[in-house]
Amino acid sequence: MNQRRQFLGATALAAVAAPSLSNAQHAPKASRGPILLTVSGLIGTGNRGPLDPALDQMMAKQKIGFDRAQVFDFAAITALPAVTIKPTLEYDGKPHTLKGPLLLDVMKACGVKVTGKTTLFLRAVDGYAAQVTAAEAGKYRFVVATHLDGQPMALGGLGPLWAVYDADRFPEMMAKKLPERFAWCPWATYHIEVKEA
């Protein structure tokens, strides 16, 4: 996993500004800041239009496409009810407090009708992607973390958003080596595609 994550460098960091600016022009008037999360696929009506390959550069380069999407700025994502988890993280082997809305609550806010076949493709700014079923997201209580140890997460660290769960609570995950517990958890999560498997 770490080899795939090493791509996060100047290119990805420079590219993150383009989708934020583009999404901001498609976002609802109530948006107060840059768009941090775009959800596409089998959603409700959405609050932005189709991907613009000229302005949504990073998403276009990562072969993402959509006709409509639901977008969230920091205020919108933190307005959802939040939960707190305290997993031991692979990066320093220490427990940390992460806070954010449940991933399935974010899906509900997007008008997703979850079924037994709903699959979520979670994508990070560096292109790393993970697939988790809605059933797994519910069982493991995935959150879209906005805060780490009481502070908003910064771009260039693990944020500004991180799709993650508390692996310490599940014996089958605790049996794995620490880095393997987080293969489903792309830090710097910025796009989720909802599909039916």
Side-chain angles (χ1 to χ4, degrees):
M1 181 168 116
N2 287 336
Q3 290 174 343
R4 290 181 280 182
R5 301 309 304 253
Q6 290 175 357
F7 176 74
L8 183 61
T11 303
L13 289 174
V16 78
S20 295
L21 291 172
S22 174
N23 286 347
Q25 72 187 10
H26 297 292
K29 290 183 178 23
S31 291
R32 291 173 277 200
I35 299 306
L36 301 182
L37 180 65
T38 301
V39 182
S40 65
L42 299 175
I43 63 168
T45 57
N47 61 2
R48 78 153 273 181
L51 179 129
D52 182 333
L55 299 177
D56 294 314
Q57 283 286 312
M58 185 166 62
M59 286 191 272
K61 286 180 181 176
Q62 292 180 355
K63 310 278 189 245
I64 295 169
F66 51 81
D67 294 327
R68 70 185 187 286
Q70 183 78 28
V71 296
F72 297 85
D73 63 9
F74 189 74
I77 200 81
T78 56
L80 297 172
V83 298
T84 300
I85 61 174
K86 296 184 179 183
T88 300
L89 298 185
E90 65 176 301
Y91 305 107
D92 61 6
K94 297 177 182 175
H96 290 272
T97 301
L98 289 152
K99 177 182 157 189
L102 290 170
L103 177 55
L104 290 184
D105 286 348
V106 176
M107 294 303 98
K108 247 184 250 180
C110 296
V112 174
K113 291 181 171 53
V114 174
T115 72
K117 295 182 177 182
T118 302
T119 303
L120 309 174
F121 290 84
L122 313 169
R123 189 175 302 277
V125 297
D126 66 354
Y128 181 81
Q131 175 182 319
V132 62
T133 66
E136 290 164 335
K139 174 183 176 180
Y140 294 108
R141 292 183 55 79
F142 267 74
V143 301
V144 178
T146 58
H147 290 75
L148 173 67
D149 296 330
Q151 298 297 317
M153 290 189 294
L155 180 62
L158 298 173
L161 302 178
W162 186 15
V164 65
Y165 70 106
D166 189 348
D168 296 2
R169 294 185 55 217
F170 302 95
E172 69 272 27
M173 295 303 174
M174 287 293 287
K176 297 181 178 187
K177 292 179 182 174
L178 190 55
E180 293 171 6
R181 298 175 199 168
F182 295 96
W184 279 340
C185 306
W187 43 262
T189 304
Y190 86 105
H191 179 259
I192 300 173
E193 183 177 7
V194 183
K195 291 186 176 181
E196 291 284 312

